[in-house]
Amino acid sequence: IAFDQKTPQELITLLDDKRPMVRRNALENLVSTGPGSLEVLQDRCQNGTDPQRLEILYAIHRLHTEEGKALVREALSDDFEDIRIAGARLCGLSKDEKALSTLLDIVRSDSSIRVRRQAATALGQIGSEDAVPGLVEASIGVDDRFLQHSIRYALITLKTPGPVVEALTHNDPSARMSALVVLDQMDDSPLSSE
């Protein structure tokens, strides 16, 4: 198959081929086509099977366009859990600050612990201090150790002790414990040995 001679419309049909290497090569060629393939990728991302949509979401991210970032942000509200996880991961990798408020909502209230954990990680990767109060709030009542770790690690990497120090007096014991652990591990921590 002469992939490099096919149009994006022709390549997108090859994503339905039974042969894995044909699908992979078609997707790679769509990415190498650049932003010109975004329209067909977007259509398939909205109408394909869940495994196809997941692969296409990563391909859209690799185009490095603002329109692609917007499509990745839309994935944060998808019904399919794995798509939401991928969306959060890709927002973190691209340091997409426009996803901040949605990621904060997710880390506090998504029905999936896996999605919440990836949202916390993404918030740490984005690196905005604006996420700190929301992450402190998200630590309230968390009993999943992996989610707890993701929230704490994001707070440590954000290096903003002010709101974390305030959490030391929070009513919720899990928020106080998270604040103590975060401050203990944070560089230049305001904690003293007294």
Side-chain angles (χ1 to χ4, degrees), residues 49-125:
T49 65
D50 287 337
Q52 281 179 341
R53 293 172 57 231
L54 195 56
E55 285 184 13
I56 289 169
L57 190 62
Y58 279 95
I60 288 170
H61 164 75
R62 290 173 51 206
L63 295 175
H64 302 290
T65 64
E66 286 304 314
E67 296 87 359
K69 284 183 180 181
L71 291 171
V72 170
R73 285 192 298 273
E74 286 178 23
L76 295 172
S77 60
D78 198 89
D79 291 336
F80 186 47
E81 178 183 56
D82 288 346
I83 297 284
R84 293 196 313 276
I85 291 169
R89 176 163 173 67
L90 296 173
C91 285
L93 289 174
S94 64
K95 299 188 182 308
D96 186 357
E97 291 200 23
K98 292 180 181 176
L100 217 91
S101 65
T102 306
L103 288 167
L104 282 167
D105 290 341
I106 289 171
V107 78
R108 288 187 290 239
S109 63
D110 196 274
S111 59
S112 166
I113 293 290
R114 294 173 55 221
V115 177
R116 291 174 66 192
R117 185 173 58 237
Q118 190 60 56
T121 301
L123 288 165
Q125 290 171 318

